Amino acid sequence: MGKSRTKFDKERLTEHTTPRISTIRTTNYLQKVVFLSTSILVSVIVLYPLGMLIVSSFSPTQTISDISASPLQGYLLLFREWELVRNSIVIAIGATALALTFGITLAWILTRAQIPFKNFLEQLVIIPFYMSPLLGALGWIVLASPGKVGLINVVVMQIFGLSESPFNIYTPLGIIWVLGIFFTPFSFLIISAALRSMDPSLEESSRVIGAGKFRTAFIITLPVVKPAILNSALLIFILSLGNFAVPAVIGMPQGYLVMTTRIFQYVSGFDPNFSAAAAMGISLFVFGAIGVYLQSALLGGKHYTTVTGRAFRPRLIDVGRWKYFLVSIPIIYVLVTVVLPLGVMIWSSFLRWTTFDIKLAEFTLANYHFILNEYPITIIAIKNSLIVAIIGASLTMSICFVLAWMVQRSKIPAVRILEYISIIPLSVPPMVFSIGLLWAWINFPLLPIYGTLWILILCNVTILLPYGVRTMSATIVQLDKNLEECAQVIGASWGKVIKTVTLPLISQGFLAGWTLIFVATLNELAAMALLVTSNTMVLSVAVYDLFNQNTYPNVAVMALLQAIIIVIVLAIARAIGKQYGVTSA
Amino acid sequence: MNEAIDTNVVALEINSLGVRYGDVQAVQDVNFTLQKGQHLTLVGPSGCGKTTILRAIAGLETPTQGSISLFNRTVFDAAAGINVPAEERELSMVFQSYAIWPHMTVFDNVAYGLRLRKVPKDEISRRVTWALDMVGINEFANREAPQLSGGQQQRVALARSFVFNPAILLFDEPLSNLDAKLRTQMRVELKELTTRIGITSVYVTHDQEEALSLSDVVIVLDQGKMQQLSDPITTYFRPANTFVSEFMGTSNVISARSKGPVNSSGLSLVELENGFEIYCSGQLPKNEPGIVAIKSVHLHITPTDPNKHKNCWQCRIVTRLFVGDFVEYRLDFDGLNLLVRDLSYRLFDEGQLVYCHVKPEHANLLSMVQ
C-alpha cells in the first residue's frame, strides 16, 4: 500500500507479528455504577412523589369539619366542582385546536412555499417557545382589555367608529387564545420536522398525476404527517391542561377557575386542603395519562418520533401571487405573540400608569428604580433563578445523557422500563408534581431539602426529564454507533469511549438541550408557585406575586427582566455553540 | 501461499456458536479454527449472519451459545459464563462506515490505540508515521478527518486498526462504500498489506470476488449456517451444495438423476431432466435424484461440432445480451434453458445453431439434500 518500504519497517515487522495477549484490563465498574445510580435516581425522583401524591389524596384534612372522616374527602370535593374539570378540558381542547391550526399552517408555509425571508421567519416563529406564557398573558391583558383600556380595542374602535369594545381578554376564549398562540411552536417544530423528512417524490407524483398544489397539500402531505400532528396535539393538550400562568392571570381575577388554579387556591389559600388538591391533581394526571395512552395507541406504540434519518430538500412550491398572503401569516403570528405583548410591556414599563393615550402618558424611570433598587425580592429572585436553572439544566442533561445512551445503546431489557418511567412526568402537570414533592419531602428527615433551592432543582429536573431524554436520544441516534464501537474494540473502556468519542461528538446537541432546559426552568411557574418560600423566591413566581400585589408597570419591569436574562443566556449559548461547533462527518 | 501462516498456533477457535435475537436464530452452530497468519473470509448474502459472527468475535454482540477463544484464551463461553469485554480482547476492526472520528486529526485517529496503551510519545509518532506510510497517506497526518475523501478515510481506518499490533484484525465489509474502480484497487492493496504485516484476519463481505481473492480460507454462510468451509479454489470449483454453487459465480442448476459411477475415475454418468446424459464430478448412489451445477463461464460454445468432447450438445441461441467484455447467451438445449457467458472476442447470433460443451470436472453433481 505504501510507496516506501524502509529498513525501519522491516525491523518493526518482526515485533509487529508477535501478538501480545491483552495489555488492557478494565473492569467496567464505572459503567455499572453510573447505570445503576442513574436508574435508581430516576425511579426515585419520578415515582416517590407520585406515590406520595396518591397517598395524600386519601388523607383528609382535619380542618374541614363536614366530611373530614372520609378518606375520599378530596375526591368528594372534586365531584362538587365538576365544572372546573369541564373548564379545564374545554380550555385545553380549544388551545390545542388553535395551536394545531397555526402550527400546521406555519409549518407548511415555511417548509413548502416559495416565500421571501423564509429562513429569517423560521427563526422568528419559534421565539414564543422561549418566552413564558405568563409573559404572553401579561401582554395580552393590556392588549385586549375591554373598554377603552386595551390597545387593540382602542385602535379598532377608532378605525371602525365603534362605541363598544369588540374584544375582551377576560373570557375563556381569551385564555384559549393566549395558550394557543404560545403553544404553537410545539406543533410547528414537530410538524415542520416531519415535513422536512418526508420524501418529496410523494408530493411530486401527486402533482404529476394532475392534482393541484393545494389539493396535493390536503390529500397527500397532511395524511403523511398525521403522526406528527397527533403527537403535537396530545403534547399541547397536556401542556394546556397543566398550565397555570394563563388561567391565573386572565381567569382567576374574574372568578373563572380551572383545575390548576383551584389547586393553587387549595394549597396556598387561608384554608388549605391538601387532600382536595391532591385528588384534583390526580384527576389531572389521569387526563394526561389518558392522552399519553391515546397517543401511543394511535401511533402504534412509538411514543415519540425521533426526527432523524434522511433529510430531504423538498422542492419549494411556486405560489405566485399567493406569496404575499402566505408571508403575512408568519409575520402576523410573530406580531401577536412577540412584538405586541413585549411592545406593550416595554411601553408600560416607562409609564407611571398604563395608557395608550399619548396625552395622558407620564413617562418615568421610577418603575425600573423601584424593581432594581428598592424591591427587596428582585436580587434574591434573580440569584435563585440562575442557580436553580444552571444546576437544574446541568443535572437534567447529565442524567438524560446517561439515560438516552442506555436507551439507544445498551441491550439491557430493563432499560425499556426505565425509559417509560422517564416519560411519566410528561403526563403529570407540573403543579400536580409539585404537590407530590411537597408531601414527599416536607417531613422527610433524612434529606431536609424542603425550603431549600434543592427541592426546586429536584422538581425541575423531574418534570423536564422527558424533554431532556428526547433531545439527547435524538442526538445519540444520529451518532454512528460504529464510532463508539471502534474505540471500544481498539481497547477503550466505557468511560474512555464516552469521554473521548461520544461527548465531544454530541456536545452541540447537549448544549441545545441544556439551553432548552435552562429556559424552561427559568420560565416554570406552575411547579414553582407552591414550592417557593420567601428565601427561595424565583423570578417567575416573583412576577406572578407582583401581578397580584402591585401596579402593572412594575410587573412589566420584572417580567422584562426575566425575558432579558433568557435572551442573554440564549446569546451566550449560541456563541459557545459556534465557537466549539464540531463539524460531524 | 501465505508465508506468515504458523500452523502450530491457533489464533481463533469457534465452537458451536449460536446467536439468537428473540425468536430469530441469526447464527447457528458455527465451528472453525484459524491458524495464526491466515486470512479468513465470511461470505454470504445480506442477513446470512456473517456480520453477527464478526461482531461476536469482536465482543460487540453477545452470542447465546458456544465459545470463542483467541490464542488459546477463552473470551466467550456461554456455558461457563465467560464474556470478556470487547476492549480486553486485543483485537482491532475496520468498519464498513470507516468510523473515522470527525473531531480528531488523522494523526489522532491513528494514535488512539497507542495512547490507550500508554505508549511513550516519541514511539507513538514513530508508529503512526510507520502505519500511515504503510497505507500511503503520510502527507495527510495533520488533516482534520472530515476533509478526507472516502478512499483516504478508508486508509486512515486501516492504519488505525493495525498500528498497535492487535492479535487479530477484523474487517466488516470495508470496501463496500467505495466506487467500483477504487474497490478493485484497494482489494489489491489490502491483500499486499495484510500479507506484509503478517496479521491474522477475519474478513466479512457479500462480494464473492473479494472473498476469493483476499483469503486463505472461505466460509460461505446462508441463513446463519455454514454452507462450506474450504480454500477459495475448492469453494469455487467444488461447491458443497447448490447454494454455494449459485452464490459463487452464475450457475446453471439442472435437476438430474444419477446413473452411477464411471469406472474409478471419480466421475458419474448422470441423466439430465431433458433425457440427455452428462459426465459429472461427484458421486451419488445409482438412480438417486440430484442436481447438476455448471458455472455459466464453464460452458463453451463452438460454431461447429468439436467432435472430441464428451458432454457436447447442439443448442439454439435464444437471446443474446451484449455486455462488453463478455456476452451472455441464453441457449435452448432441448427444452432446457442454459446460461452461457462467453468472452466477446467472437459473437453468435440469436437463433443460430451452436455446439455447447462442458468438461466433466466443471459439472458438479450435488445431492438434493442440503
Side-chain angles (χ1 to χ4, degrees):
Chain A
M1 185 154 295
K3 291 154 267 175
S4 55
R5 229 181 286 186
T6 60
K7 245 188 202 162
F8 164 70
D9 291 346
K10 289 250 168 174
E11 281 165 24
R12 293 249 157 263
L13 220 70
T14 26
E15 185 206 322
H16 277 267
T17 47
T18 332
R20 291 167 310 175
I21 298 305
S22 195
T23 53
I24 290 182
R25 276 274 178 276
T26 54
T27 32
N28 266 325
Y29 282 138
L30 182 66
Q31 184 178 11
K32 283 181 188 125
V33 168
V34 170
F35 276 21
L36 201 66
S37 53
T38 306
S39 309
I40 293 170
L41 183 70
V42 168
S43 309
V44 169
I45 63 173
V46 173
L47 299 178
Y48 176 51
L50 277 185
M52 288 312 288
L53 183 72
I54 294 168
V55 171
S56 65
S57 72
F58 291 108
S59 316
T61 311
Q62 297 303 324
T63 50
I64 291 179
S65 49
D66 53 348
I67 34 178
S68 60
S70 166
L72 293 174
Q73 177 211 41
Y75 292 95
L76 293 173
L77 268 174
L78 189 66
F79 278 108
R80 289 203 203 154
E81 299 186 311
W82 70 274
E83 80 277 3
L84 299 188
V85 180
R86 189 200 58 197
N87 289 352
S88 273
I89 288 177
V90 166
I91 297 277
I93 289 174
T96 307
L98 192 65
L100 275 187
T101 313
F102 278 136
I104 294 169
T105 315
L106 289 172
W108 187 83
I109 292 173
L110 291 173
T111 56
R112 289 291 191 270
Q114 221 170 50
I115 55 159
F117 316 117
K118 212 163 85 83
N119 292 335
F120 182 56
L121 286 171
E122 223 178 300
Q123 307 266 316
L124 289 185
V125 295
I126 57 169
I127 292 178
F129 192 69
Y130 297 103
M131 278 168 71
S132 76
L134 174 64
L135 248 70
L138 290 172
W140 271 93
I141 53 170
V142 174
L143 282 169
S145 277
K148 289 184 179 169
V149 185
L151 175 64
I152 293 178
N153 279 328
V154 173
V155 172
V156 170
M157 281 159 76
Q158 238 165 35
I159 292 174
F160 297 100
L162 303 173
S163 54
E164 293 272 307
S165 61
F167 301 111
N168 181 4
I169 196 69
Y170 295 110
T171 57
L173 221 58
I175 300 174
I176 289 174
W177 167 252
V178 175
L179 284 176
I181 59 173
F182 272 84
F183 288 143
T184 295
F186 286 90
S187 54
F188 168 76
L189 285 171
I190 294 171
I191 294 164
S192 64
L195 279 173
R196 258 186 217 107
S197 59
M198 174 181 170
D199 186 347
S201 64
L202 293 175
E203 287 170 356
E204 282 159 9
S205 50
S206 157
R207 298 285 305 281
V208 169
I209 291 168
K213 295 160 193 171
F214 294 100
R215 194 181 160 88
T216 298
F218 273 100
I219 63 172
I220 303 290
T221 318
L222 206 57
V224 169
V225 296
K226 200 174 85 182
I229 294 174
L230 277 175
N231 221 331
S232 52
L234 285 146
L235 177 66
I236 294 167
F237 178 78
I238 291 165
L239 285 172
S240 310
L241 209 58
N243 185 276
F244 168 73
V246 178
V249 168
I250 297 174
M252 206 148 63
Q254 322 300 316
Y256 181 84
L257 290 176
V258 294
M259 287 163 87
T260 49
T261 43
R262 185 77 183 104
I263 290 171
F264 182 75
Q265 287 183 341
Y266 273 137
V267 177
S268 65
F270 296 111
D271 184 19
N273 187 339
F274 278 104
S275 64
M280 194 164 270
I282 282 181
S283 48
L284 253 182
F285 168 50
V286 168
F287 289 122
I290 289 171
V292 171
Y293 173 76
L294 278 178
Q295 184 183 34
S296 51
L298 286 169
L299 294 175
K302 274 194 229 162
H303 43 225
Y304 54 86
T305 45
T306 13
V307 184
T308 51
R310 295 190 290 172
F312 294 100
R313 191 177 287 275
R315 229 157 26 104
L316 296 180
I317 297 165
D318 183 6
V319 286
R321 286 165 299 147
W322 281 91
K323 79 178 173 192
Y324 299 107
F325 169 69
L326 290 180
V327 80
S328 72
I329 294 174
I331 291 174
I332 289 170
Y333 174 74
V334 174
L335 219 58
V336 299
T337 45
V338 184
V339 179
L340 287 178
L342 278 181
V344 293
M345 282 166 81
I346 293 169
W347 169 262
S348 301
S349 72
F350 290 106
L351 294 176
R352 205 164 287 282
W353 61 81
T354 305
T355 175
F356 295 103
D357 192 332
I358 200 81
K359 281 169 275 176
L360 296 173
E362 256 185 70
F363 292 99
T364 174
L365 286 173
N367 309 314
Y368 284 90
H369 178 76
F370 171 75
I371 291 296
L372 292 172
N373 299 329
E374 286 171 18
Y375 194 57
I377 290 162
T378 313
I379 297 302
I380 300 172
I382 291 175
K383 204 183 86 196
N384 287 343
S385 270
L386 285 176
I387 292 172
V388 169
I390 288 170
I391 297 179
S394 308
L395 263 178
T396 311
M397 289 311 290
S398 307
I399 294 169
C400 291
F401 167 72
V402 177
L403 216 56
W405 198 91
M406 288 167 77
V407 167
Q408 298 298 336
R409 296 287 197 253
S410 84
K411 286 159 196 151
I412 311 163
V415 168
R416 300 296 306 169
I417 301 168
L418 200 62
E419 192 190 4
Y420 276 108
I421 293 175
S422 75
I423 303 287
I424 291 176
L426 201 62
S427 55
V428 187
M431 178 168 274
V432 178
F433 218 97
S434 68
I435 300 171
L437 269 174
L438 269 179
W439 268 84
W441 301 106
I442 211 159
N443 289 320
F444 198 79
L446 288 177
L447 214 59
I449 59 168
Y450 178 70
T452 69
L453 288 178
W454 286 107
I455 197 164
L456 306 186
I457 293 168
L458 190 67
C459 182
N460 279 305
V461 168
T462 317
I463 60 180
L464 293 170
L465 270 182
Y467 299 94
V469 170
R470 271 183 192 201
T471 38
M472 273 338 310
S473 274
T475 311
I476 292 173
V477 151
Q478 283 172 321
L479 187 70
D480 181 3
K481 187 170 77 165
N482 290 350
L483 292 169
E484 295 168 322
E485 287 177 345
C486 185
Q488 200 196 349
V489 174
I490 285 180
S493 62
W494 180 76
K496 199 90 183 172
V497 173
I498 295 292
K499 196 181 135 202
T500 58
V501 176
T502 318
L503 282 176
L505 288 175
I506 58 139
S507 56
Q508 289 274 320
F510 192 94
L511 184 69
W514 191 94
T515 317
L516 178 85
I517 304 288
F518 177 93
V519 172
T521 306
L522 211 68
N523 283 336
E524 183 58 55
L525 172 64
M528 298 296 101
L530 301 179
L531 290 178
V532 294
T533 58
S534 56
N535 288 329
T536 59
M537 181 56 72
V538 291
L539 263 175
S540 54
V541 183
V543 173
Y544 179 66
D545 276 359
L546 218 54
F547 165 78
N548 284 330
Q549 304 156 5
N550 215 304
T551 65
Y552 187 80
N554 283 333
V555 179
V557 173
M558 190 70 113
L560 286 171
L561 214 54
Q562 190 184 336
I564 288 165
I565 290 173
I566 287 170
V567 169
I568 291 171
V569 170
L570 285 177
I572 293 172
R574 219 187 172 130
I576 294 174
K578 266 194 185 139
Q579 190 166 358
Y580 296 100
V582 176
T583 43
S584 51
Chain B
M1 200 58 210
N2 188 342
E3 300 146 24
I5 297 176
D6 183 346
T7 46
N8 295 319
V9 182
V10 174
L12 171 63
E13 184 175 354
I14 289 186
N15 281 313
S16 54
L17 190 78
V19 183
R20 173 179 274 278
Y21 302 117
D23 294 336
V24 185
Q25 187 77 41
V27 170
Q28 200 174 337
D29 199 29
V30 168
N31 295 283
F32 63 86
T33 51
L34 190 64
Q35 256 79 45
K36 183 175 165 244
Q38 271 190 320
H39 304 312
L40 168 88
T41 296
L42 300 165
V43 65
S46 59
C48 72
K50 54 189 191 295
T51 300
T52 309
I53 297 172
L54 193 79
R55 289 173 60 84
I57 298 170
L60 298 171
E61 210 80 54
T62 308
T64 38
Q65 284 167 313
S67 66
I68 303 169
S69 54
L70 302 166
F71 290 94
N72 291 321
R73 169 186 171 221
T74 305
V75 292
F76 178 80
D77 191 326
I82 298 170
N83 191 9
V84 175
E87 62 267 29
E88 291 174 24
R89 294 190 181 189
E90 280 299 302
L91 302 173
S92 194
M93 188 161 169
V94 177
F95 289 84
Q96 188 174 4
S97 60
Y98 316 142
I100 297 298
W101 299 305
H103 58 302
M104 299 182 193
T105 62
V106 169
F107 185 94
D108 290 336
N109 263 281
V110 178
Y112 192 87
L114 297 170
R115 288 189 178 134
L116 285 173
R117 284 163 181 77
K118 311 261 190 289
V119 175
K121 222 172 174 185
D122 51 335
E123 175 70 5
I124 289 181
S125 83
R126 277 224 305 281
R127 286 229 203 175
V128 172
T129 311
W130 167 76
L132 288 176
D133 245 1
M134 290 288 262
V135 297
I137 51 161
N138 214 345
E139 67 268 32
F140 296 126
N142 293 317
R143 289 268 184 99
E144 292 287 328
Q147 299 170 348
L148 302 179
S149 70
Q152 289 162 346
Q153 289 196 22
Q154 171 73 76
R155 284 156 199 267
V156 176
L158 265 171
R160 180 178 63 184
S161 69
F162 67 76
V163 69
F164 62 94
N165 185 23
I168 296 179
L169 197 45
L170 309 174
F171 293 95
D172 184 12
E173 308 213 22
L175 304 183
S176 62
N177 281 347
L178 300 173
D179 62 62
K181 221 170 184 148
L182 197 53
R183 191 156 58 220
T184 324
Q185 183 197 336
M186 284 298 288
R187 201 155 71 200
V188 180
E189 292 190 12
L190 207 59
K191 173 114 189 172
E192 278 179 22
L193 180 87
T194 47
T195 312
R196 207 190 309 161
I197 59 176
I199 202 165
T200 315
S201 73
V202 180
Y203 193 101
V204 158
T205 182
H206 62 268
D207 183 310
Q208 45 136 338
E209 290 180 15
E210 272 173 39
L212 296 175
S213 58
L214 287 175
S215 32
D216 304 310
V217 186
V218 176
I219 294 178
V220 184
L221 290 149
D222 184 39
Q223 298 181 356
K225 288 183 215 145
M226 282 171 62
Q227 305 295 319
Q228 185 164 6
L229 183 162
S230 45
D231 63 276
I233 290 173
T234 311
T235 311
Y236 183 77
F237 284 104
R238 292 280 167 270
N241 55 37
T242 48
F243 175 80
V244 178
S245 177
E246 287 188 292
F247 190 75
M248 290 288 168
T250 335
S251 280
N252 291 284
V253 174
I254 308 156
S255 305
R257 194 165 53 83
S258 169
K259 300 190 82 174
V262 183
N263 310 326
S264 55
S265 56
L267 299 182
S268 301
L269 188 62
V270 177
E271 189 189 318
L272 295 177
E273 57 175 296
N274 64 354
F276 280 75
E277 290 183 343
I278 180 174
Y279 289 92
C280 288
S281 312
Q283 307 265 336
L284 278 180
K286 200 172 175 187
N287 282 329
E288 179 151 323
I291 299 274
V292 172
I294 310 168
K295 300 255 189 296
S296 58
V297 288
H298 292 157
L299 284 165
H300 296 275
I301 315 177
T302 49
T304 53
D305 190 348
N307 273 327
K308 51 185 175 173
H309 290 283
K310 292 172 180 172
N311 298 348
C312 183
W313 316 288
Q314 197 180 40
C315 302
R316 184 181 295 281
I317 293 178
V318 183
T319 50
R320 182 180 85 185
L321 203 68
F322 178 71
V323 184
D325 284 350
F326 60 87
V327 192
E328 230 175 64
Y329 298 103
R330 206 162 278 283
L331 305 189
D332 175 42
F333 165 35
D334 203 47
L336 261 180
N337 227 328
L338 291 181
L339 185 71
V340 181
R341 272 192 181 187
D342 198 21
L343 293 174
S344 56
Y345 65 93
R346 63 177 171 196
L347 295 173
F348 299 98
D349 296 319
E350 289 185 357
Q352 192 177 341
L353 273 176
V354 291
Y355 290 87
C356 177
H357 66 265
V358 59
K359 289 183 182 171
E361 61 264 38
H362 287 157
N364 284 295
L365 176 62
L366 303 168
S367 160
M368 295 282 272
V369 194
Q370 296 268 320

